[in-house]
Every structure is written in structure tokens, then in C-alpha cells.
Amino acid sequence: MASDGDAIKNLTDKATYDRLEKDLSAVKNEITALADQVSDALNTLTGSAKKQARRGYRQARANVDSVLSDVSDRGNAALDAAQSAVTTIEDTLEEAIQQRPLATVGLAVGLGFLIGVTWRR
């Protein structure tokens, strides 16, 4: 009977071992599937982050280009205004010199005298 008990024990151990081996194989397959899902999720997340970063870069670049264009336009407008003011002053001075040449010479002599006196001190 001892040998019958050993045989039953061996069959039970083998059945238990086969069942454990089958369960372990199923767990390995599930872990592999889970790892694949995590990898796919990370790849999707990385792709989405790259797209969002590119979009942010393009938007920032467009904003910088817009600001530079605006600054350039404002600078050109200021330059045009300054050139217009200089032209107007030049025309006004030229007209004043032509209309009152003696007063202009007197004014120039007076300014020269004031500058000379101030410079000496």
C-alpha cells in the first residue's frame, strides 16, 4: 500500500506541478501583454507631447515674428516722423532766413556771443 500511496502522491504532485506551470505561464503572458500596453501608452504619450511641443514652438515663433514685425513697423513710422519733422524745421529755418536775413545774422551773432561767454567760465 505504501507504493500505491507513493504513486498517488506522485500523480498529485505532478498534477499540482502541471497546474502551477500552466498558471505561471498564464501570468507570464499577462505580464508580457501588460508591458506591451504600457509601452504603447508611453509611445502615444511621447508622440502627443512631441506634437504639443512642436505646436508650442511654432506658436512662440509666430508670436516673436509678429512682435518683430510690429516693432519694425513702429520704428519705421518713428523714423518717418523724425525725417518729416527735420524737413519741416529745415523748411521753416530756410524761409525765416530768406524773409529776415539781417535778423538771422543778428541772432547768429548773439548766440555765438552767449556760447563764447559760457565757454569761458
Side-chain angles (χ1 to χ4, degrees):
M1 187 140 171
S3 68
D4 285 340
D6 287 340
I8 291 174
K9 185 177 179 186
N10 285 341
L11 286 176
T12 306
D13 287 344
K14 181 162 176 37
T16 303
Y17 177 78
D18 289 343
R19 191 175 61 233
L20 284 175
E21 190 174 52
K22 196 183 277 185
D23 288 346
L24 183 60
S25 177
V27 168
K28 284 181 181 179
N29 290 338
E30 288 178 12
I31 288 174
T32 300
L34 182 60
D36 289 342
Q37 287 177 349
V38 168
S39 177
D40 290 344
L42 286 175
N43 287 337
T44 301
L45 182 62
T46 301
S48 177
K50 283 181 183 178
K51 286 178 187 176
Q52 195 170 20
R54 284 186 193 128
R55 196 175 317 130
Y57 171 75
R58 277 182 282 198
Q59 185 176 4
R61 184 172 178 139
N63 288 344
V64 167
D65 289 345
S66 175
V67 167
L68 288 177
S69 176
D70 188 40
V71 167
S72 176
D73 291 345
R74 288 183 184 191
N76 287 337
L79 182 61
D80 290 343
Q83 286 175 342
S84 177
V86 167
T87 302
T88 302
I89 291 171
E90 184 180 314
D91 291 342
T92 302
L93 284 174
E94 188 176 326
E95 186 178 311
I97 290 170
Q98 287 177 354
Q99 288 181 357
R100 300 181 199 101
L102 291 177
T104 304
V105 170
L107 182 64
V109 169
L111 283 174
F113 178 75
L114 286 174
I115 290 172
V117 169
T118 305
W119 200 320
R120 283 186 182 174
R121 292 184 182 184

